[in-house]
Amino acid sequence: MKFVLYNPYSGGGAGKTLAASYLSDQAESYEIMDITEISSYADFFEGINEDDEIIIFGGDGTLNRFVNDTYDVSKKCPIYYYPSGTGNDFYAEVKPESETKEPILITEYLENTPSVTVKGNTYKFINGVGYGIDGYCCEVGDKLHAEGKSVNYTSIAIKGLLFHYKPVNAKVIVDGIEYNYKKVWIAPCMNGKYYGGGMIPAPEQKRGSGELSLMVFHGSGKLKTLMIFPGIFKGAHVKHEKQVTVHKGRDITVIFDEPRALQVDGETILEVEQYHATI
């Protein structure tokens, strides 16, 4: 039996339609379920057999929710993923070379996922933890969504860099070694290469390597930062070694001297002073 789990809120609210459109072309029968209505994954997986298959329809937020809801639940069968979100950063990294969009097997990626502790709560994450102007962008984007307005994160970032966002000083501890930075604009911790709808903060990060990458963008003024920042969409920002430092490690703590918004796979947490990520 094949089970399709869709997120009705993914793809700008077209999650069910996108899943149904895909299934309409399939000869096999599927049981389709709203992922937001599954109250107990322990009970759900209790009824799943080893020869069954699960396909998740959604974006990065859907995968984040699934991982956090199921990390301590035994999964007997293969799990596949079909990207149908507004931002599919996970898929951009793991997609096959074939241009045909088909569900991809992701069972291995759901194992040993990293964790981040923020404000006393611990979350699993698939792509990355953003802290700084990326968290600010999510904060502003959430407000615009609530007001029914369109959201352009690139525009929010540029306006933030020029007018609204103030950099902070940061203490960073990577596998027990402490570093200190001034005028930090962004300090994401990455499990994969991509986040934020195509940004590549850590182009050398390898998913499944057993290490995380922390990228610290620091020490520059607004105009210099604005000149370098667009390179993050190609991973070219890391060439500016005076402003961009990348650390690799298994245990990473970032402490800002003023609270800022943080995002975990796109989910926003406000007024955060520090985070602790491990893998």
Side-chain angles (χ1 to χ4, degrees):
M1 183 67 180
K2 295 189 177 183
F3 298 86
V4 168
L5 311 182
Y6 71 90
N7 183 351
Y9 303 107
S10 67
K16 184 176 183 178
T17 301
L18 292 169
S21 176
Y22 170 81
L23 295 177
S24 66
D25 295 328
Q26 307 303 306
E28 300 175 84
S29 61
Y30 293 79
E31 181 172 341
I32 185 168
M33 305 174 67
D34 183 339
I35 201 169
T36 66
E37 294 182 354
I38 299 176
S39 58
S40 170
Y41 276 101
D43 292 342
F44 171 75
F45 277 103
E46 188 66 29
I48 300 295
N49 299 314
E50 291 184 1
D51 56 351
D52 291 332
E53 293 181 1
I54 293 172
I55 304 176
I56 300 171
F57 274 73
D60 298 305
T62 303
L63 284 177
N64 175 277
R65 175 170 180 161
F66 183 82
V67 166
N68 277 280
D69 287 347
T70 66
Y71 72 91
D72 58 350
V73 177
S74 176
K75 307 171 189 66
K76 306 172 186 176
C77 71
I79 299 175
Y80 293 80
Y81 171 64
Y82 188 97
S84 59
T86 51
N88 300 304
D89 291 306
F90 171 80
Y91 183 75
E93 182 177 351
V94 304
K95 65 182 178 182
E97 295 182 2
S98 170
E99 295 185 2
T100 303
K101 187 187 285 188
E102 293 290 337
I104 58 171
L105 183 66
I106 63 168
T107 308
E108 64 175 301
Y109 300 116
L110 303 180
E111 300 173 354
N112 302 316
T113 49
S115 301
V116 61
T117 300
V118 185
K119 288 186 169 182
N121 296 313
T122 300
Y123 312 89
K124 294 287 186 177
F125 62 97
I126 288 287
N127 297 323
V129 177
Y131 194 27
I133 198 164
D134 46 0
Y136 163 83
C137 289
C138 287
E139 178 182 6
V140 174
D142 289 347
K143 291 178 181 177
L144 293 174
H145 274 304
E147 295 170 0
K149 298 178 181 178
S150 60
V151 178
N152 184 316
Y153 288 105
T154 302
S155 175
I156 294 171
I158 292 173
K159 290 178 181 178
L161 285 169
L162 284 175
F163 307 112
H164 307 300
Y165 187 81
K166 178 184 175 184
V168 298
N169 297 324
K171 178 168 71 174
V172 170
I173 306 169
V174 181
D175 291 342
I177 302 175
E178 181 177 318
Y179 308 86
N180 290 277
Y181 296 98
K182 295 185 180 297
K183 297 178 70 174
V184 173
W185 293 92
I186 185 172
C189 185
M190 301 299 298
N191 180 44
K193 296 180 188 293
Y194 302 93
Y195 78 166
M199 299 169 71
I200 316 175
E204 298 301 318
Q205 170 62 16
K206 298 187 185 303
R207 186 182 296 273
S209 66
E211 287 187 316
L212 301 170
S213 289
L214 171 69
M215 186 274 283
V216 186
F217 197 141
H218 59 92
S220 57
K222 290 184 177 182
L223 293 180
K224 182 67 173 180
T225 300
L226 189 59
M227 291 174 61
I228 298 172
F229 190 80
I232 201 171
F233 288 94
K234 294 184 178 180
H237 63 298
V238 296
K239 297 177 182 179
H240 300 269
E241 295 181 357
K242 289 184 178 180
Q243 292 81 23
V244 178
T245 304
V246 179
H247 297 281
K248 287 183 177 290
R250 298 178 59 86
D251 189 295
I252 296 173
T253 298
V254 178
I255 304 169
F256 281 0
D257 64 354
E258 294 181 19
R260 291 291 185 270
L262 174 147
Q263 60 88 11
V264 181
D265 286 339
E267 299 299 316
T268 312
I269 304 173
L270 302 178
E271 296 294 314
V272 175
E273 295 181 349
Q274 64 178 279
Y275 72 81
H276 177 212
T278 60
I279 189 169

